[in-house]
Amino acid sequence: MAGSARRRLYLIDSSIYIFRAWFSLPAGLTDPRGNPVNAVYGFAVFLTQLLEQARPSHVAALFDESLTTSFRNGLFPGYKANRELPPAELERQLRWCRRLVRAAGVAEYASTRYEADDLIGTLARQMRRRGFSMVYVSRDKDLLQLVQGADRYWDFSAGRVLAAQDVRRELGVRPRQVPDWLALTGDRVDNIPGVPGIGAKTAAALIDRYGSLTRVYDNLERLPVSGLRGAGRLQRLLRDHREQVWLARRLVTIDTGAPLHPTTAGLRWRGPRPRALSRLFNELGFGPGLRQRFAALAPH
């Protein structure tokens, strides 16, 4: 992913990689005071690998500030209600991860009202106007709705890179249709109800046939003669869950209007801040290997 575009902005969906480290690395990794540092250590390894490989000219890390205060909780109180709040040990490490990002010289954003996806979408919309293409560093399929033009979706852990034309092969729908597809299938991870009995393939077939969720409902009365398998049953399901579908559509749509005011200079990566990194690594008890890797980092 490195080197081909000088006007490419890397947008890191940080929480996914922090939680991945929290669950995969042993809690026995501790700082000099005995506090767990497994999540921040794993995130630090991920971040240095990303910066080593990409050597980005412009980059930002986006964080979820809260599981309970986004505008989506106001629309649907059950939103993410299936998730446990992070324990104190992880909350502490989340704060360290944000310090790490800043010490690594990477722009950092978070909000209590908007989620990381919304901040990513907002930065993408604003910076696209300034001639940037995006690299979305994530494992969250919701972000596929943002991919357009020369953008790329980079599932870093799996080593997968998707362009806009690859999304249809992956999900059966185009990027702009992803919110419609998710509204029908729902999202168990975020506790978003879809339409019971409509799975990913059926949802893709409906959206592919009619082009959008609006057009699906515009043609609801003609659905039984559409030729789609189980069309009569689909008609009943869509009619019975109409309000639920449109609520889900609102919940899964990334809001690109968060009150952010990025500058090109503010997103430029100029390399790590050695003193800030040294202070943080001293607190965390990290050894020379990781320090040396960060010290060797520099943008192209």
Side-chain angles (χ1 to χ4, degrees):
M1 296 295 293
S4 62
R6 296 302 298 165
R7 301 287 285 183
R8 178 174 280 169
L9 173 59
Y10 287 75
L11 297 167
I12 304 169
D13 187 6
S14 302
S15 297
I16 282 180
Y17 298 97
I18 296 169
F19 278 93
R20 178 181 173 87
W22 167 256
F23 286 113
S24 63
L25 294 180
L29 286 172
T30 59
D31 67 12
R33 296 168 300 282
N35 298 307
V37 294
N38 54 333
V40 65
Y41 180 82
F43 182 67
V45 171
F46 152 76
L47 185 60
T48 189
Q49 289 174 341
L50 173 67
L51 295 173
E52 284 170 348
Q53 291 184 39
R55 301 285 174 161
S57 62
H58 296 79
V59 60
L62 298 306
F63 290 84
D64 290 313
E65 184 83 25
S66 171
L67 287 177
T68 60
T69 64
S70 85
F71 72 87
R72 292 178 178 85
N73 296 102
L75 295 171
F76 177 51
Y79 181 66
K80 292 189 176 180
N82 55 332
R83 297 197 197 181
E84 294 183 4
L85 295 177
E89 294 83 359
L90 180 54
E91 285 279 5
R92 183 186 302 110
Q93 295 195 66
L94 288 167
R95 293 193 293 272
W96 280 332
C97 288
R98 293 177 65 175
R99 281 182 60 191
L100 170 68
V101 162
R102 295 192 293 271
V106 173
E108 175 243 357
Y109 294 87
S111 167
T112 56
R113 177 167 173 75
Y114 295 91
E115 297 179 65
D117 287 3
D118 304 314
L119 304 181
I120 288 171
T122 298
L123 287 175
R125 178 180 61 82
Q126 295 191 16
M127 299 309 293
R128 198 182 308 282
R129 296 171 179 170
R130 304 178 199 181
F132 283 84
S133 61
M134 311 301 145
V135 179
Y136 305 105
V137 184
S138 181
R139 295 178 64 89
D140 185 353
K141 64 181 179 297
D142 292 9
L143 287 172
L144 290 171
Q145 67 189 268
L146 298 174
V147 179
Q148 59 180 278
D151 292 350
R152 297 293 183 268
Y153 172 95
W154 190 6
D155 181 347
F156 187 83
S157 301
R160 290 191 316 145
V161 178
L162 302 179
Q165 63 268 24
D166 299 319
V167 176
R168 184 166 185 172
R169 186 187 70 241
E170 192 80 6
L171 300 182
V173 295
R174 296 178 174 86
R176 61 179 173 78
Q177 297 170 320
V178 169
D180 292 345
W181 178 80
L182 286 170
L184 292 173
T185 63
D187 189 338
R188 290 184 181 179
V189 174
D190 290 340
N191 200 39
I192 297 174
V195 179
I198 294 184
K201 289 184 178 180
T202 302
L206 279 166
I207 299 302
D208 186 57
R209 169 65 63 91
Y210 294 107
S212 71
L213 192 57
T214 298
R215 294 282 296 159
V216 169
Y217 274 98
D218 285 346
N219 288 276
L220 193 59
E221 296 310 312
R222 292 183 290 276
L223 187 59
V225 295
S226 66
L228 288 172
R229 184 177 180 181
R233 170 179 165 274
L234 291 176
Q235 182 191 51
R236 291 191 299 274
L237 289 172
L238 289 165
R239 182 183 290 136
D240 291 347
H241 296 88
R242 184 190 299 259
E243 290 186 10
Q244 183 167 297
V245 167
W246 288 110
L247 171 60
R249 178 65 166 75
R250 179 72 180 92
L251 294 172
V252 300
T253 300
I254 291 173
D255 190 326
T256 63
L260 300 182
H261 306 285
T263 64
T264 302
L267 293 168
R268 179 176 292 280
W269 184 54
R270 295 179 173 84
R273 298 160 54 205
R275 290 184 180 179
L277 270 177
S278 181
R279 286 195 300 270
L280 179 60
F281 284 3
N282 285 342
E283 287 182 39
L284 299 174
F286 289 173
L290 202 54
R291 293 170 188 258
Q292 290 168 4
R293 290 180 69 178
F294 271 99
L297 287 171
H300 287 321

